[in-house]
Amino acid sequence: MATNAEIAACFEELAVLSEILGANVFKVNAFRRAARAVEGLAQEAASVPVAALKEIDGLGASTAAKIHEFGASGTMSELEELRAQVPAGLKEVLAIQGIGPKTARAMWQELGVVDLATLKVAIDAGKVATLPRMGEKSIAKMKEAIAFAESARGRIRLGEAMPLADALVAELGALSGVQRIAYAGSLRRGRDTIGDLDILAAASDPAELMRAFCERGEVARVLGHGETKSSVLTKSGVQVDLRVVPLDRFGAALMYFTGSKDHNIRMRERAIAQGLRLNEYGLFREGAHGEVPDGAVPIAAATEEEVYAALGLDWIPPTAREDRGELDQFARGARESRVAGASAVRMLALADIRAELHCHTRASDGSMTIDEIVAEAERRGFHTIAITDHSKSQFQANGLDETRLRAHIEAIHAARERFPKMQIWAGSEVDILSDGSLDYADDVLAALDWVVASPHAALKQEPRLATDRLMKAITHPLVHVIGHPTGRIVNGRPGLEPVMSELYAAAKEHGTALELNSHHMRLDLRDVHVRAAADAGCMIAINCDVHAINDFDELRYGVLTAERGLLPVAQCLNALDAKALDAWRRKKRP
DNA sequence: GCCGTTTTCGGCCCGACTGTTTTCAGTCG
């Protein structure tokens, strides 16, 4: 089975290796774009016909052929050729901050550096200092960067980055002279992991803000410190970039620093096609020689909306800025025809969520009582809560056997008297065992109001087995939702890799919802899955998998992921009103 | 390698910062 992740990794490696070999930078970029195009694909790329692949932005004849070659043989011949030429360890050398393709290539070909170990030896022997433009400071920086790389933590999870960014924005925003401040980058786009934090500010005294930023107690090292741009490394190992721009250019800058890089490139190309130039200071009219004259006044710059509008676009939500066709989708005319036609669709927003359908009490591995959970759901304006403690196979999570479960159902139903306004369901998060059977017999499941079926063990199963396993649960007449369908942990484990298209079709046919688990460790389904499932007509349940009171706050990550998946509000179970949700539930209880 | 409202070749986004330079190459985002 050739997964999109594997194919994307091949294109990324092709980019890195050809970069070291000194290939045309545009060819290198083309490989990188192909990697991202495959990553963002909802279907399995290897099963898409060549002609259809070539229609996808960023893929062409050559990359489409490579995708099929990988599907058939498990590798790409051009990649194998490059691997034979370039020492494998050079990839980790190129990954060091400050070392680019030119430097890596020179160190390899002239000094015999083949990996981090030989690089360190070459530095200590004074050989690196013999290369052109390689002075004392460069060497010192390189040493620091190597030390950091050896202890680095890589990309951090959305749910770790967001609280850091919120705190930083609040702290810097409180300084006098700060007129506006916001986080940008992949965090604002809601990606499941974040490489570094990008903070954008407008301030009456930029130098003073820069100084305050670099001297914070949290800062371990200052990577760069300029008049408008500084980068620091925090003690927790996170890189934070701060950029300061004039207030009247804030929108253009926010757009630029939100990215994605590919989205920005599309926007600049669009500007050029209209005789305009776009940069982080605004949208400008070109001078006589295609240049922007010094001191030119921008056509648009203060807000993102006006920049998009000046280029004939509606404001594009950050979550959609991934170069996946959004410029066509948000073109002015396109939207009018969308709205005019019957196909006008409203996308999901945080305030639409009115139910939590997956949570755990002290009966299994949660920390709250039934009443505490229901009270919190009510406080948050929800109309429905489903209590779904673990089933008996989850020993480590204190899963309930049949006897305890029957008592628990009674206790949950008894809570209805104390919370008359809430719709309270007695449910279970039933294990989908490795063969696809469920952890309780049908008569037990039938006694429950609500059944979430989830895979917890055997998460390294072969794709075919995993598909069959999940299909059994999806087609089971008593199952309402498949919980965290792949079982992946962000930055932890990949989880199952079933043939998703089969799952979507079955889920639609059998009226079973698929969960988007909001917990930042899971975010499962992930964004591209949500998009494909929504296109296939599935219902999606966005749940927090609540174990403790603060877990309700994870919802923002689930909703960001749903936005990235372009989930229409009508296809989100948790956005139905209480009556409609109950009617949907009863379809599984004949 | 991709792409086309100057189309099948000749382009390909743009600016800040750093260090080693006396005007800029390399790297990054």
Side-chain angles (χ1 to χ4, degrees), chain A residues 26 58-60 63 97-98 100 103 133 135-136 138 225 228-229 243 256 261 268 277 281:
Chain A
F26 299 108
L59 298 180
T63 44
Q97 276 270 341
T103 311
R133 309 184 63 88
E136 235 174 84
S138 300
H225 184 167
T228 65
K229 181 181 169 183
R243 189 73 184 257
Y256 174 71
K261 189 182 165 100
R268 287 174 180 201
R277 290 274 171 166
Y281 299 110

Coordinates of all heavy atoms in Angstrom, one line a residue, chain A residues 26 58-60 63 97-98 100 103 133 135-136 138 225 228-229 243 256 261 268 277 281, chain B residues 1-4 6 11-21 24-29:
Chain A
F26 N 14.2 25.9 -9.1 CA 12.8 25.8 -9.4 C 12.3 24.4 -9.5 O 11.2 24.0 -9.2 CB 12.5 26.6 -10.7 CG 12.8 28.0 -10.6 CD1 13.9 28.5 -11.3 CD2 12.0 28.8 -9.8 CE1 14.2 29.9 -11.1 CE2 12.3 30.2 -9.7 CZ 13.4 30.7 -10.4
G58 N 0.3 21.7 -9.1 CA 1.6 21.3 -8.5 C 2.1 20.0 -9.0 O 3.2 19.6 -8.7
L59 N 1.2 19.2 -9.6 CA 1.6 17.9 -10.2 C 1.6 18.0 -11.7 O 0.8 18.8 -12.3 CB 0.6 16.8 -9.7 CG 0.6 16.5 -8.2 CD1 -0.4 15.4 -8.0 CD2 1.9 16.2 -7.7
G60 N 2.5 17.3 -12.3 CA 2.6 17.3 -13.8 C 2.9 15.9 -14.3 O 2.7 15.0 -13.5
T63 N 5.8 14.1 -12.2 CA 5.5 13.7 -10.8 C 4.3 12.7 -10.8 O 4.4 11.8 -10.0 CB 5.1 15.0 -10.0 OG1 4.2 15.8 -10.7 CG2 6.4 15.7 -9.6
Q97 N 20.0 24.7 11.1 CA 19.7 26.1 10.8 C 21.0 26.8 10.4 O 22.0 26.7 11.0 CB 19.3 26.7 12.1 CG 17.8 26.5 12.5 CD 17.0 27.7 11.9 OE1 17.5 28.7 11.5 NE2 15.7 27.4 11.7
G98 N 20.9 27.5 9.3 CA 22.0 28.3 8.8 C 22.8 27.6 7.7 O 23.6 28.2 7.1
G100 N 22.6 25.9 4.3 CA 21.8 25.7 3.2 C 22.4 24.8 2.2 O 23.5 24.2 2.4
T103 N 26.3 25.5 1.2 CA 27.2 25.2 2.2 C 27.4 23.7 2.4 O 28.5 23.2 2.5 CB 26.8 25.9 3.5 OG1 26.5 27.2 3.3 CG2 27.9 25.8 4.6
R133 N 33.9 32.7 2.8 CA 32.8 33.4 3.6 C 32.6 32.6 4.9 O 31.4 32.6 5.4 CB 31.5 33.5 2.8 CG 31.7 34.1 1.4 CD 30.3 34.3 0.8 NE 29.5 35.2 1.5 CZ 29.5 36.5 1.4 NH1 30.3 37.1 0.5 NH2 28.7 37.3 2.1
G135 N 33.7 32.6 8.5 CA 34.5 33.2 9.5 C 34.2 32.7 10.9 O 33.4 31.7 11.1
E136 N 34.8 33.3 11.9 CA 34.7 32.9 13.3 C 33.2 32.8 13.7 O 32.8 31.8 14.3 CB 35.4 33.9 14.2 CG 36.4 33.3 15.1 CD 37.1 34.4 15.8 OE1 36.6 34.9 16.9 OE2 38.2 34.9 15.3
S138 N 30.4 32.6 12.0 CA 29.7 31.6 11.3 C 29.9 30.2 11.9 O 29.0 29.4 12.1 CB 30.1 31.6 9.8 OG 29.8 32.8 9.2
H225 N 18.3 39.9 15.8 CA 17.7 41.0 16.4 C 17.9 42.2 15.5 O 19.0 42.8 15.5 CB 18.4 41.3 17.8 CG 17.8 42.4 18.6 ND1 18.1 42.6 19.9 CD2 16.9 43.3 18.2 CE1 17.4 43.7 20.3 NE2 16.7 44.1 19.3
T228 N 13.1 45.6 12.7 CA 11.7 45.2 12.5 C 11.5 43.7 12.7 O 10.4 43.3 12.6 CB 11.2 45.6 11.1 OG1 12.0 44.8 10.1 CG2 11.5 47.1 10.8
K229 N 12.5 43.0 12.9 CA 12.4 41.5 12.9 C 13.4 40.9 13.9 O 14.6 41.2 13.8 CB 12.6 41.0 11.5 CG 12.5 39.5 11.3 CD 12.8 39.1 9.9 CE 13.0 37.6 9.8 NZ 13.3 37.2 8.4
R243 N 7.7 40.3 14.3 CA 7.9 41.2 13.3 C 7.1 42.5 13.6 O 5.9 42.3 14.0 CB 7.4 40.5 12.0 CG 7.7 41.3 10.7 CD 9.2 41.2 10.3 NE 9.3 42.1 9.2 CZ 9.5 41.6 7.9 NH1 9.5 40.3 7.7 NH2 9.6 42.4 6.9
Y256 N 0.7 38.2 4.9 CA 2.0 37.6 4.5 C 2.5 36.6 5.6 O 3.0 35.6 5.2 CB 3.0 38.8 4.3 CG 4.4 38.3 4.0 CD1 4.7 37.7 2.8 CD2 5.4 38.3 5.0 CE1 5.9 37.2 2.6 CE2 6.6 37.8 4.7 CZ 6.9 37.3 3.5 OH 8.1 36.7 3.3
K261 N 3.1 29.7 2.7 CA 4.1 30.1 1.7 C 3.5 30.0 0.3 O 3.5 30.9 -0.6 CB 5.3 29.3 1.8 CG 6.5 29.8 1.0 CD 7.7 28.9 1.2 CE 8.7 29.1 0.1 NZ 9.9 30.0 0.6
R268 N 0.8 36.6 -4.9 CA 1.7 37.5 -5.6 C 1.6 37.3 -7.1 O 1.7 38.2 -7.9 CB 3.1 37.2 -5.1 CG 3.3 37.8 -3.7 CD 4.6 37.4 -3.1 NE 4.6 38.0 -1.8 CZ 5.7 38.2 -1.1 NH1 6.9 38.0 -1.6 NH2 5.7 38.8 0.1
R277 N 2.0 44.6 -7.5 CA 3.0 43.9 -6.7 C 2.5 43.8 -5.3 O 2.0 44.8 -4.7 CB 4.3 44.7 -6.7 CG 5.0 44.8 -8.1 CD 5.9 43.5 -8.2 NE 6.4 43.5 -9.6 CZ 7.4 42.6 -9.9 NH1 7.9 41.9 -9.0 NH2 7.8 42.6 -11.2
Y281 N 4.2 44.9 2.9 CA 3.9 46.2 3.2 C 2.7 46.7 2.4 O 2.2 47.8 2.5 CB 5.1 47.2 2.9 CG 6.3 46.8 3.8 CD1 7.4 46.2 3.2 CD2 6.2 47.0 5.2 CE1 8.5 45.9 4.1 CE2 7.2 46.7 6.0 CZ 8.4 46.1 5.4 OH 9.4 45.7 6.3
Chain B
dG1 P 12.5 16.6 -14.1 OP1 12.4 15.3 -13.6 OP2 12.9 17.1 -15.3 O5' 11.6 17.7 -13.3 C5' 11.1 17.3 -12.1 C4' 9.8 18.1 -11.8 O4' 10.3 19.5 -11.8 C3' 8.8 18.1 -12.9 O3' 7.5 18.1 -12.3 C2' 9.1 19.3 -13.8 C1' 9.6 20.3 -12.8 N9 10.6 21.2 -13.3 C8 11.8 20.9 -14.0 N7 12.5 21.9 -14.3 C5 11.7 23.0 -13.9 C6 11.9 24.4 -14.0 O6 12.9 25.0 -14.5 N1 10.9 25.1 -13.4 C2 9.8 24.6 -12.8 N2 8.9 25.5 -12.3 N3 9.6 23.3 -12.7 C4 10.5 22.6 -13.3
dC2 P 6.2 18.1 -13.1 OP1 5.2 17.3 -12.3 OP2 6.4 17.8 -14.5 O5' 5.7 19.6 -13.0 C5' 5.6 20.2 -11.8 C4' 5.0 21.6 -11.9 O4' 6.0 22.5 -12.5 C3' 3.8 21.7 -12.8 O3' 2.8 22.5 -12.2 C2' 4.3 22.3 -14.1 C1' 5.4 23.2 -13.6 N1 6.6 23.3 -14.6 C2 7.1 24.6 -14.9 O2 6.5 25.6 -14.4 N3 8.1 24.7 -15.7 C4 8.7 23.6 -16.2 N4 9.8 23.7 -17.0 C5 8.2 22.3 -15.9 C6 7.2 22.2 -15.1
dC3 P 1.3 22.6 -12.8 OP1 0.4 22.8 -11.7 OP2 1.1 21.4 -13.7 O5' 1.4 23.9 -13.7 C5' 1.7 25.1 -13.1 C4' 1.8 26.2 -14.1 O4' 3.0 26.1 -14.8 C3' 0.7 26.1 -15.2 O3' -0.1 27.2 -15.1 C2' 1.4 25.9 -16.5 C1' 2.8 26.3 -16.2 N1 3.9 25.6 -16.9 C2 4.9 26.4 -17.5 O2 4.9 27.6 -17.4 N3 5.9 25.7 -18.1 C4 5.9 24.4 -18.2 N4 6.9 23.8 -18.9 C5 4.8 23.6 -17.7 C6 3.8 24.3 -17.0
dG4 P -1.6 27.2 -15.7 OP1 -2.5 27.6 -14.7 OP2 -1.8 26.0 -16.5 O5' -1.5 28.4 -16.8 C5' -1.0 29.6 -16.4 C4' -0.9 30.5 -17.7 O4' 0.3 30.0 -18.4 C3' -2.1 30.4 -18.6 O3' -2.5 31.6 -19.0 C2' -1.6 29.5 -19.8 C1' -0.1 29.6 -19.7 N9 0.6 28.3 -19.9 C8 0.0 27.0 -19.7 N7 0.9 26.0 -19.9 C5 2.1 26.7 -20.2 C6 3.3 26.1 -20.6 O6 3.7 25.0 -20.6 N1 4.3 27.1 -20.8 C2 4.0 28.5 -20.7 N2 5.1 29.3 -20.9 N3 2.8 29.0 -20.4 C4 1.9 28.1 -20.2
dT6 P -2.4 38.5 -20.2 OP1 -1.7 38.1 -18.9 OP2 -3.2 39.7 -20.3 O5' -1.4 38.4 -21.4 C5' -1.0 37.2 -21.9 C4' -0.2 37.4 -23.2 O4' 0.5 38.6 -23.1 C3' 0.8 36.3 -23.4 O3' 0.9 36.1 -24.8 C2' 2.1 36.9 -22.8 C1' 1.9 38.4 -23.1 N1 2.6 39.3 -22.2 C2 3.9 39.7 -22.5 O2 4.4 39.4 -23.6 N3 4.4 40.6 -21.6 C4 3.9 41.0 -20.4 O4 4.5 41.7 -19.6 C5 2.6 40.4 -20.1 C7 1.8 40.8 -18.9 C6 2.0 39.6 -21.0
dG11 P 13.2 34.8 -20.2 OP1 13.2 35.8 -21.2 OP2 14.4 34.1 -19.9 O5' 12.6 35.4 -18.9 C5' 12.6 34.7 -17.7 C4' 11.2 34.3 -17.3 O4' 10.8 33.1 -18.0 C3' 11.0 34.1 -15.8 O3' 10.4 35.3 -15.3 C2' 10.1 32.9 -15.7 C1' 10.1 32.3 -17.1 N9 10.6 30.9 -17.1 C8 11.9 30.6 -17.6 N7 12.1 29.3 -17.5 C5 10.9 28.8 -17.0 C6 10.5 27.4 -16.7 O6 11.2 26.4 -16.8 N1 9.2 27.4 -16.1 C2 8.4 28.4 -15.9 N2 7.2 28.2 -15.4 N3 8.7 29.7 -16.2 C4 10.0 29.8 -16.7
dC12 P 10.8 35.6 -13.7 OP1 10.1 36.9 -13.4 OP2 12.2 35.4 -13.6 O5' 10.0 34.4 -12.9 C5' 8.6 34.3 -13.0 C4' 8.2 33.0 -12.3 O4' 8.8 31.9 -13.0 C3' 8.8 32.9 -10.9 O3' 7.7 32.6 -10.0 C2' 9.8 31.9 -10.9 C1' 9.3 31.0 -12.1 N1 10.4 30.2 -12.8 C2 10.2 28.8 -12.9 O2 9.2 28.3 -12.5 N3 11.2 28.1 -13.5 C4 12.3 28.7 -13.9 N4 13.2 27.9 -14.5 C5 12.5 30.1 -13.8 C6 11.5 30.8 -13.2
dC13 P 7.9 32.9 -8.4 OP1 9.2 32.7 -7.9 OP2 6.8 32.1 -7.9 O5' 7.5 34.4 -8.3 C5' 6.2 34.8 -8.0 C4' 6.2 35.8 -6.9 O4' 6.4 35.2 -5.7 C3' 7.3 36.9 -7.1 O3' 6.8 38.1 -6.7 C2' 8.4 36.4 -6.1 C1' 7.5 35.8 -5.0 N1 8.2 34.7 -4.3 C2 8.1 34.6 -2.9 O2 7.4 35.5 -2.3 N3 8.6 33.6 -2.2 C4 9.3 32.7 -2.8 N4 9.9 31.7 -2.1 C5 9.5 32.7 -4.2 C6 8.9 33.7 -4.9
dC14 P 7.5 39.5 -7.0 OP1 6.5 40.5 -7.2 OP2 8.6 39.2 -7.9 O5' 8.2 39.7 -5.6 C5' 7.4 40.0 -4.4 C4' 8.2 40.0 -3.2 O4' 8.7 38.7 -2.9 C3' 9.5 40.9 -3.3 O3' 9.3 42.0 -2.5 C2' 10.6 40.0 -2.9 C1' 9.9 38.9 -2.1 N1 10.6 37.6 -2.1 C2 10.7 36.9 -0.9 O2 10.2 37.5 0.1 N3 11.3 35.7 -0.8 C4 11.8 35.2 -1.9 N4 12.4 34.0 -1.8 C5 11.7 35.8 -3.2 C6 11.1 37.0 -3.2
dG15 P 10.3 43.2 -2.5 OP1 9.6 44.5 -2.7 OP2 11.5 42.9 -3.4 O5' 10.9 43.1 -1.0 C5' 9.9 43.2 0.0 C4' 10.5 42.7 1.3 O4' 10.9 41.3 1.1 C3' 11.8 43.4 1.7 O3' 11.7 43.7 3.1 C2' 12.9 42.5 1.4 C1' 12.2 41.1 1.7 N9 12.9 40.0 1.0 C8 13.2 39.9 -0.4 N7 13.7 38.8 -0.7 C5 13.7 38.1 0.5 C6 14.2 36.7 0.7 O6 14.7 35.9 0.0 N1 14.0 36.4 2.1 C2 13.5 37.2 3.0 N2 13.4 36.7 4.3 N3 13.0 38.4 2.8 C4 13.2 38.8 1.5
dA16 P 12.8 44.6 3.9 OP1 12.0 45.7 4.6 OP2 13.9 45.0 3.0 O5' 13.3 43.6 4.9 C5' 12.4 43.0 5.9 C4' 13.2 42.2 6.9 O4' 13.7 41.0 6.2 C3' 14.4 42.9 7.5 O3' 14.4 42.6 8.8 C2' 15.6 42.3 6.7 C1' 15.1 40.9 6.3 N9 15.5 40.4 5.0 C8 15.5 41.1 3.8 N7 16.0 40.4 2.8 C5 16.3 39.2 3.3 C6 16.9 38.1 2.8 N6 17.2 37.9 1.5 N1 17.2 37.0 3.6 C2 16.9 37.2 4.9 N3 16.3 38.2 5.6 C4 16.1 39.2 4.7
dC17 P 15.5 43.3 9.8 OP1 14.9 43.4 11.1 OP2 16.0 44.5 9.1 O5' 16.6 42.2 9.8 C5' 16.3 40.9 10.3 C4' 17.5 40.0 10.1 O4' 17.7 39.7 8.7 C3' 18.8 40.6 10.6 O3' 19.4 39.8 11.6 C2' 19.7 40.7 9.3 C1' 19.1 39.6 8.4 N1 19.2 39.8 7.0 C2 19.8 38.8 6.2 O2 20.1 37.7 6.8 N3 19.9 38.9 4.9 C4 19.5 40.1 4.3 N4 19.7 40.2 3.0 C5 19.0 41.2 5.1 C6 18.9 41.0 6.4
dT18 P 20.6 40.2 12.4 OP1 20.4 39.7 13.8 OP2 20.9 41.6 12.2 O5' 21.7 39.4 11.7 C5' 21.6 38.0 11.6 C4' 22.8 37.4 10.9 O4' 22.6 37.6 9.5 C3' 24.1 38.0 11.3 O3' 24.9 37.0 11.8 C2' 24.7 38.6 10.1 C1' 23.9 38.0 8.9 N1 23.6 38.8 7.8 C2 23.9 38.3 6.5 O2 24.3 37.2 6.3 N3 23.6 39.1 5.5 C4 23.0 40.4 5.5 O4 22.7 41.0 4.5 C5 22.8 40.9 6.9 C7 22.2 42.2 7.1 C6 23.1 40.0 7.9
dG19 P 26.2 37.3 12.6 OP1 26.4 36.3 13.6 OP2 26.3 38.7 12.9 O5' 27.3 37.1 11.5 C5' 27.3 35.8 10.8 C4' 28.2 35.9 9.6 O4' 27.7 36.7 8.6 C3' 29.6 36.5 10.0 O3' 30.6 35.7 9.3 C2' 29.6 37.9 9.4 C1' 28.7 37.7 8.2 N9 27.9 38.9 7.8 C8 27.4 39.9 8.6 N7 26.8 40.8 8.0 C5 26.8 40.4 6.6 C6 26.3 41.0 5.5 O6 25.7 42.1 5.4 N1 26.6 40.3 4.3 C2 27.3 39.1 4.3 N2 27.5 38.5 3.1 N3 27.8 38.5 5.4 C4 27.5 39.2 6.5
dT20 P 32.1 35.9 9.7 OP1 32.6 34.5 10.0 OP2 32.2 37.0 10.7 O5' 32.6 36.3 8.3 C5' 32.3 35.6 7.2 C4' 32.5 36.4 5.9 O4' 31.5 37.5 5.9 C3' 33.8 37.1 5.8 O3' 34.4 36.9 4.5 C2' 33.5 38.6 6.0 C1' 32.1 38.7 5.5 N1 31.3 39.8 6.1 C2 30.5 40.5 5.2 O2 30.4 40.3 4.1 N3 29.8 41.6 5.8 C4 29.9 41.9 7.2 O4 29.3 42.9 7.6 C5 30.8 41.1 8.0 C7 30.9 41.5 9.4 C6 31.5 40.1 7.4
dT21 P 35.8 37.4 4.2 OP1 36.6 36.3 3.7 OP2 36.3 38.2 5.3 O5' 35.3 38.3 3.0 C5' 35.3 39.7 3.2 C4' 34.3 40.3 2.3 O4' 33.1 40.5 3.0 C3' 34.7 41.7 1.8 O3' 35.7 41.6 0.7 C2' 33.3 42.2 1.4 C1' 32.5 41.7 2.5 N1 32.4 42.6 3.7 C2 31.5 43.7 3.6 O2 30.8 43.9 2.6 N3 31.5 44.5 4.7 C4 32.2 44.3 5.9 O4 32.1 45.1 6.8 C5 33.1 43.2 5.9 C7 34.0 43.0 7.1 C6 33.2 42.4 4.8
dC24 P 26.8 44.4 -5.3 OP1 26.3 43.7 -6.5 OP2 25.9 45.5 -4.7 O5' 27.2 43.4 -4.2 C5' 28.3 42.6 -4.3 C4' 28.1 41.3 -3.6 O4' 27.9 41.6 -2.2 C3' 26.9 40.5 -4.0 O3' 27.2 39.1 -4.1 C2' 25.9 40.8 -2.9 C1' 26.8 40.8 -1.7 N1 26.3 41.5 -0.5 C2 26.4 40.9 0.7 O2 27.0 39.9 0.8 N3 25.9 41.6 1.8 C4 25.3 42.7 1.7 N4 24.8 43.3 2.8 C5 25.1 43.3 0.4 C6 25.6 42.7 -0.6
dA25 P 26.4 38.3 -5.1 OP1 27.0 38.4 -6.5 OP2 24.9 38.5 -4.9 O5' 26.7 36.8 -4.6 C5' 28.0 36.5 -4.0 C4' 27.7 35.6 -2.8 O4' 27.2 36.3 -1.7 C3' 26.7 34.5 -3.2 O3' 27.2 33.2 -2.6 C2' 25.4 34.9 -2.5 C1' 26.0 35.7 -1.3 N9 25.1 36.8 -0.8 C8 24.4 37.6 -1.5 N7 23.7 38.5 -0.8 C5 24.0 38.2 0.5 C6 23.6 38.7 1.7 N6 22.8 39.8 1.8 N1 24.1 38.1 2.8 C2 24.9 37.1 2.7 N3 25.3 36.5 1.6 C4 24.9 37.1 0.5
dG26 P 26.5 31.9 -2.9 OP1 27.5 30.8 -3.0 OP2 25.5 32.1 -3.9 O5' 25.8 31.6 -1.5 C5' 26.5 31.6 -0.3 C4' 25.5 31.6 0.9 O4' 24.9 32.8 1.0 C3' 24.4 30.5 0.7 O3' 24.5 29.6 1.7 C2' 23.1 31.4 0.7 C1' 23.6 32.6 1.5 N9 22.8 33.8 1.2 C8 22.5 34.3 -0.1 N7 21.8 35.4 0.0 C5 21.7 35.7 1.3 C6 21.0 36.8 2.0 O6 20.4 37.7 1.5 N1 21.1 36.6 3.4 C2 21.7 35.6 4.0 N2 21.7 35.6 5.4 N3 22.3 34.6 3.4 C4 22.3 34.7 2.1
dT27 P 23.5 28.4 1.9 OP1 24.3 27.3 2.6 OP2 22.9 28.2 0.5 O5' 22.4 28.9 2.8 C5' 22.8 29.5 4.1 C4' 21.6 30.0 4.8 O4' 21.2 31.3 4.1 C3' 20.3 29.2 4.7 O3' 20.0 28.7 6.0 C2' 19.2 30.1 4.1 C1' 19.8 31.5 4.3 N1 19.4 32.5 3.3 C2 18.8 33.7 3.7 O2 18.7 33.9 4.9 N3 18.5 34.5 2.7 C4 18.6 34.3 1.4 O4 18.2 35.2 0.6 C5 19.2 33.1 1.0 C7 19.4 32.8 -0.5 C6 19.6 32.2 1.9
dC28 P 18.7 27.7 6.2 OP1 19.1 26.9 7.4 OP2 18.4 27.1 5.0 O5' 17.6 28.7 6.6 C5' 17.8 29.7 7.6 C4' 16.6 30.7 7.6 O4' 16.7 31.5 6.4 C3' 15.3 30.0 7.5 O3' 14.6 30.1 8.7 C2' 14.5 30.7 6.4 C1' 15.4 31.9 6.1 N1 15.4 32.2 4.6 C2 15.0 33.5 4.2 O2 14.6 34.3 5.0 N3 15.0 33.8 2.9 C4 15.5 32.9 2.0 N4 15.5 33.2 0.7 C5 15.9 31.6 2.4 C6 15.9 31.3 3.7
dG29 P 13.3 29.2 9.1 OP1 13.2 29.0 10.5 OP2 13.2 28.1 8.1 O5' 12.1 30.2 8.7 C5' 12.1 31.5 9.2 C4' 11.0 32.4 8.5 O4' 11.5 32.7 7.2 C3' 9.7 31.6 8.3 O3' 8.6 32.5 8.7 C2' 9.7 31.3 6.9 C1' 10.5 32.4 6.3 N9 11.1 32.2 5.0 C8 11.6 31.0 4.5 N7 12.1 31.1 3.3 C5 11.7 32.4 2.9 C6 11.9 33.0 1.7 O6 12.5 32.6 0.7 N1 11.5 34.3 1.7 C2 10.9 34.9 2.8 N2 10.5 36.2 2.6 N3 10.7 34.3 3.9 C4 11.1 33.1 3.9

